[in-house]
Amino acid sequence: MKFKSRNFDDVASVLDITDLSVRLAGNASADPVLDSISLSIRQGETVCLVGESGSGKSVTSLSVMGLLPKGALEVTGGRIALEGRNLLELGPNAMRDLRASKISMIFQEPMTALNPVMRVGDQIEEVLDTHAKLPAREKRARVLDIMEQVHLPDVERIYRSYPHQLSGGQRQRIMIAMALILEPQLLIADEPTTALDVTTQQQILSLISEMQEKHGTAVLFITHDMGVVAEIADTVHVMKLGRIVEQAPVETLLREPREDYTRDLLRSVPSLTPRPARPEPDGGAVLTVASLEKIYGGHGVFSRREPTRAASEVSFKIPRGRTLGIVGESGSGKSTVARCIMRLIDPTGGDVKVAGIEIARLSRRALRPHRKHVQIVFQDPFRSLNPRWTVGRSLIEGPLNTGTDKRAALARAAELLALVGLPDDALERYPHQFSGGQRQRIAIARAIAMEPDVLVADEAVSALDVSVQAQVLQLLDELQEKLGIAILFITHDLRVAAQICDEVVVMQHGRIVEHDAAAAVLASPRHPYTRALIEAAPGRSWDFANFRELTTA
């Protein structure tokens, strides 16, 4: 890997944050959320802000944008200067004028930032309407131009599209187009690639870098992915509990981290080198998928739509106590296969056997007693846990539905919490009272409460920071050792697949293009698509745990 070697000593500063402090509103005795942090970003520089969830990264970005939630957080000291102008002294109208014209922000999830009932072209035009009064023809031409600059295909069609009609990568490109159409001096990117597959992630990172060079934009990039940091950063600031504990040029920080916290973050990054192979199990397969197929559309007599094959001829087996991973880009069919196995959707054809029982063609009523054999953990536990139920009620729901006595179910729930490393009093608390990693542990406990033969993990760690991710992966490994469950692990992160999977299936356009032991697929890929996925993995040539490069690119 060749690090950036640009010198910014004589380059003008765009943003200077000096001794910024933020506290809970109306609570002077509480510990500060941000505690006297300082950083600078110069023209054309990319500064990465890294740290665990709750370290203060996003609060820093919201402070710069003037978007701290009123009545919840307040700035209590310091200075935020944009080209010498203190933003903390500006009123709401002045800050509104600066947003998009001088400062822009790209959020992690574009679907929460885009209006679902407006065409995306109109949403980009709205930025121009707010800050620059242009004739309709010139405005449309400018929007189409920025859409072409961010490499969107068929811009006329996408201009007329709604957000739900676009892929995740296309929606993120729309966000970037909105952020850069007025050529701001500062771009803040808050985890913009976390939920994207590796090839789309690579495209978005390249796009931000290209637009930065074209417009000379200063970039504040917030991330927990050290691979991304190694690819794009000029300077890195490490945050912990509201403080910046270390800052250095990217090469210095990755080779010679000073702080224990920084070293722990780097050691938590999973390696692309597969873990040692485990011995083959003696028993047969607990999950068998044969010629699985899922087709959407094209069934009606008057239908003019071509059928879409979301999954075709998918076959694999998982023995008890083993983990099989499915990797591939968004739209490759990974989650479709998982949902067919769970019978959340009905497969069009093929067989699915769980613990020797064929479930693919069972009616919903006949399927009900067999659902306990296969359970799922979703990507976002906050959306899969009922916010109005205590953790205890969520954990006992499944066992109660299958006839378990309530007292026995509660006793088992307490045992499960201990098994996933949570305290007993968690039973009486609600999901919002836990961190993201803790909520994922609760979701895992709820799944194994049914004592399943198969656990499906659908992007179960992709939204977690590296240290919490490492803890959850270790938890799954320990549970598999204790309970002997088979795990189907859906992921777009090849590093995660290398650390938890015994076998890896690579999917493209609904089909399996490669299937072998994890070591064989990730170390010696045969298919060009698999090689392309590995090449796209950020920081692939870096051994983060040992602070050194694996190869010299």
Side-chain angles (χ1 to χ4, degrees), residues 236-425:
V236 185
H237 295 255
V238 181
M239 292 195 73
K240 178 185 179 183
L241 300 177
R243 288 177 172 269
I244 292 178
V245 296
E246 185 166 359
Q247 58 190 60
V250 60
E251 184 172 5
T252 302
L253 185 122
L254 294 182
R255 293 188 190 279
E256 301 170 0
R258 300 190 316 271
E259 298 292 323
D260 289 340
Y261 179 71
T262 307
R263 288 193 284 268
D264 289 342
L265 280 181
L266 292 171
R267 291 189 182 111
S268 296
V269 179
S271 171
L272 264 172
T273 303
R275 70 179 184 184
R278 293 190 290 189
E280 290 286 339
D282 297 329
V286 70
L287 172 65
T288 302
V289 177
S291 301
L292 183 68
E293 187 173 58
K294 179 61 182 177
I295 302 174
Y296 291 102
H299 297 302
V301 175
F302 300 104
S303 175
R304 297 182 180 180
R305 291 177 55 193
E306 287 292 321
T308 300
R309 293 184 176 273
S312 183
E313 293 297 317
V314 174
S315 301
F316 56 80
K317 296 180 180 181
I318 312 179
R320 190 173 298 279
R322 302 277 281 184
T323 299
L324 181 140
I326 303 182
V327 302
E329 297 172 290
S330 297
S332 62
K334 308 186 302 293
S335 292
T336 296
V337 170
R339 285 170 169 78
C340 285
I341 291 170
M342 291 295 304
R343 284 295 305 275
L344 298 176
I345 57 176
D346 294 330
T348 307
D351 299 321
V352 177
K353 287 185 178 180
V354 178
I357 301 165
E358 169 57 57
I359 65 169
R361 287 177 292 277
L362 291 179
S363 67
R364 295 288 168 174
R365 181 182 294 273
L367 179 66
R368 191 173 301 156
H370 302 297
R371 283 199 179 276
K372 64 181 182 180
H373 294 295
V374 54
Q375 294 290 302
I376 190 166
V377 179
F378 293 101
Q379 177 176 346
D380 185 353
F382 199 67
R383 293 174 64 185
S384 58
L385 294 171
N386 190 326
R388 298 187 179 188
W389 284 10
T390 63
V391 168
R393 184 175 176 185
S394 289
L395 292 183
I396 67 174
E397 179 192 17
L400 290 182
N401 288 342
T402 56
T404 304
D405 174 72
K406 185 175 182 179
R407 182 175 297 178
L410 281 171
R412 176 60 175 160
E415 294 174 5
L416 290 171
L417 286 179
L419 197 61
V420 299
L422 290 175
D424 292 342
D425 65 357

Side-chain angles (χ1 to χ4, degrees), residues 271-275 277 323-328 491 493-495 497-499 501-508 512-535 537:
S271 171
L272 264 172
T273 303
R275 70 179 184 184
T323 299
L324 181 140
I326 303 182
V327 302
T491 184
D493 191 330
L494 298 177
R495 295 179 183 278
Q499 296 311 303
C501 297
D502 300 294
E503 296 179 35
V504 170
V505 163
V506 182
M507 290 192 68
Q508 182 186 30
I512 293 176
V513 297
E514 189 159 355
H515 177 191
D516 208 334
V521 173
L522 297 175
S524 305
R526 299 188 307 273
H527 197 276
Y529 177 69
T530 310
R531 291 196 291 270
L533 286 180
I534 293 172
E535 284 297 312

